Amino acid sequence: MSLITSDLSTHHPIQNGFQLPPLALYVHIPWCIRKCPYCDFNSHAAAAKLPEEAYVSALLSDLEQDLIHVHGRTVTSIFFGGGTPSLFSAQALQTLLDGLEQRLIFSPEIEITLEANPGTFEQEKFAAYRTLGINRLSIGIQSFDDNKLHALGRVHSGSEAIAAVKMARQAGFTNFNLDLMHGLPAQSPEQALTDLQTAIDLSPTHLSWYQLTMEPNTVFWSKPPTLPEDDVLWDIQEAGQALLAKQGFHQYEVSAYTRDAQFAQHNLNYWSFGDFIGIGAGAHGKVSDPQGRIQRTWKTRQPNDYLNPDKPFLAGSSTLATTELPFEFLMNALRLTDGVALTLFSKRTGLPASVLTKGLQRARQRGLLSDDPLRLAASAQGQLFLNDLLHIFLDN
């Protein structure tokens, strides 16, 4: 039986309070030094020379075709993801940023994040990135343990990871995230907490701390390593969250922690069902129009195809059906530990909040949702069983 109430076929988004959400930009740079065995992102081992000029030109042409989705909005954040975007030279990124700013209106407080791996750190290069206006780094550490890094197929060492953080700070970056995994092959709770404490001691403003998972179409999926038992994983999770809280890191999303309210603005926009244009090989986007129609887009995946002028950038798009909107919204918003205001549901989906009534009642009865009637937020129990909570809102 459906837990989404009322007939959604005749809804009127504007009448229900729909507003165009904030707009962000995601830029995908698909090359890495080496493909990691756990990685299911669209990344490819780089050749000796990257086609920087051709790729930057393609990105700007791709954006030109997506300008129809802007609708006069300023861009609140830009995220360079990959792959390893820090393989690109400062000159290439300057050409790209100049081109983006010529075509888009940047918010005065725009957050511009670049993903980087320790093996790509060069002091002069990163100082140049900061001069360009890139004001946030997300550094892919994963572990400080050399044996664990080897098992993960990483190309850097623990000492290089520590040096990279110090170089980032010397280059002028005061806002940076460290990406760290736990539940690594044969990892003990003590080893996981040592990794975490090492990261904390480097004083990042933000930590992404999450469990290694086996994803389809990866080397680890076909040849899985020996991972810790479930009870060990639970011990790591509980002890790690306690350590982070003790050290002043506030958990505001399933795997995101921050000190001094230095939230990842780009990710907050994503989790609150904001819009984002995605450009680059394999990039995904979510865009709305003033009438309340919401569309998912995805770009040509293979870099050679993306660079081929005879092939389109857009691989496909799909308009979200009205019946899909509640689950799509909640799948993002309920990842936030404090949730979102109930009123945001109508602003983002154009649906009356009343369509959630039956699902909200069931979720609260099971203790998976906060009792606050003005917010959509998972309870402490709901955060542990988020998939169970979300499935309550599936249209069965």
Side-chain angles (χ1 to χ4, degrees):
M1 181 177 67
S2 170
L3 290 180
I4 302 298
T5 60
S6 81
D7 180 11
L8 301 182
S9 62
T10 58
H11 81 288
H12 302 286
I14 306 303
Q15 293 179 14
N16 290 324
F18 175 82
Q19 298 174 6
L20 275 174
L23 180 66
L25 176 68
Y26 175 77
V27 182
H28 192 76
I29 297 177
W31 292 284
C32 286
I33 294 175
R34 184 171 68 196
K35 179 82 170 179
C36 295
Y38 59 85
C39 178
D40 68 336
F41 296 133
N42 185 34
S43 59
H44 307 263
K49 183 174 174 57
L50 290 174
E52 289 185 338
E53 185 176 349
Y55 196 71
V56 167
S57 178
L59 286 169
L60 294 175
S61 295
D62 187 0
L63 177 61
E64 290 275 0
Q65 296 180 12
D66 275 354
L67 292 179
I68 57 172
H69 302 304
V70 174
H71 303 295
R73 287 174 288 180
T74 61
V75 174
T76 59
S77 65
I78 299 173
F79 194 99
F80 292 98
T84 307
S86 54
L87 289 176
F88 266 37
S89 67
Q91 182 178 359
L93 290 181
Q94 178 172 14
T95 302
L96 178 54
L97 279 167
D98 288 346
L100 296 177
E101 196 162 12
Q102 289 167 8
R103 293 163 174 81
L104 299 165
I105 302 171
F106 287 9
S107 164
E109 295 83 30
I110 191 168
E111 173 193 88
I112 304 179
T113 302
L114 180 82
E115 283 189 337
N117 286 332
T120 65
F121 262 82
E122 302 167 21
Q123 181 65 38
E124 183 177 340
K125 184 179 182 182
F126 278 78
Y129 288 163
R130 185 67 190 90
T131 302
L132 295 179
I134 295 169
N135 52 24
R136 185 175 182 272
L137 290 179
S138 182
I139 307 173
I141 302 292
Q142 313 314 350
S143 176
F144 295 95
D145 183 317
D146 287 346
N147 291 327
K148 297 294 183 276
L149 288 168
H150 178 74
L152 292 173
R154 304 293 286 176
V155 298
H156 68 272
S157 66
S159 60
E160 286 175 326
I162 293 171
V165 176
K166 293 178 179 177
M167 281 192 281
R169 190 173 280 111
Q170 290 167 6
F173 287 96
T174 57
N175 187 11
F176 60 89
N177 169 67
L178 299 184
D179 214 64
L180 200 67
M181 289 182 176
H182 61 85
L184 306 182
Q187 187 179 49
S188 67
E190 293 75 20
Q191 290 172 326
L193 291 178
T194 296
D195 258 355
L196 188 55
Q197 186 63 61
T198 302
I200 291 169
D201 290 344
L202 291 168
S203 298
T205 50
H206 192 281
L207 271 169
S208 296
W209 188 65
Y210 55 94
Q211 183 180 319
L212 171 66
T213 56
M214 302 296 100
E215 301 293 344
N217 302 314
T218 65
V219 173
F220 274 4
W221 181 261
S222 57
K223 299 177 181 179
T226 301
L227 299 181
E229 299 290 337
D230 286 347
D231 57 343
V232 175
L233 293 173
W234 182 255
D235 289 344
I236 290 172
Q237 183 74 30
E238 279 199 317
Q241 288 181 329
L243 176 61
L244 285 161
K246 182 179 179 181
Q247 297 290 331
F249 279 88
H250 168 64
Q251 182 182 12
Y252 69 99
E253 190 266 344
V254 170
S255 59
Y257 304 78
T258 182
R259 267 180 176 161
D260 302 322
Q262 293 274 17
F263 305 104
Q265 296 303 320
H266 187 86
N267 292 343
L268 271 181
N269 182 60
Y270 183 86
W271 294 320
S272 58
F273 214 50
D275 277 1
F276 56 98
I277 290 173
I279 60 174
H284 285 241
K286 178 251 173 185
V287 288
S288 308
D289 69 19
Q291 288 71 47
R293 290 181 291 262
I294 300 172
Q295 190 178 66
R296 298 282 190 188
T297 65
W298 53 96
K299 301 298 173 65
T300 298
R301 185 175 176 83
Q302 293 298 321
N304 287 341
D305 291 337
Y306 186 81
L307 289 169
N308 186 339
D310 295 325
K311 295 190 176 182
F313 296 120
L314 185 66
S317 65
S318 174
T319 300
L320 293 177
T322 304
T323 52
E324 296 177 287
L325 292 175
F327 184 79
E328 287 275 338
F329 177 89
L330 292 169
M331 183 173 58
N332 290 286
L334 290 179
R335 288 182 64 92
L336 294 167
T337 54
D338 293 331
V340 298
L342 179 62
T343 53
L344 189 69
F345 175 75
S346 296
K347 291 178 182 177
R348 294 288 192 268
T349 67
L351 295 173
S354 59
V355 305
L356 298 174
T357 299
K358 190 182 293 186
L360 295 178
Q361 290 174 345
R362 177 73 66 86
R364 289 190 175 111
Q365 287 170 358
R366 293 178 57 181
L368 298 177
L369 202 69
S370 162
D371 289 331
D372 187 343
L374 300 180
R375 294 195 69 77
L376 293 169
S379 64
Q381 183 81 351
Q383 290 170 22
L384 295 175
F385 299 98
L386 194 56
N387 285 338
D388 291 344
L389 171 57
L390 289 171
H391 274 78
I392 289 175
F393 295 90
L394 280 174
D395 194 5
N396 298 319

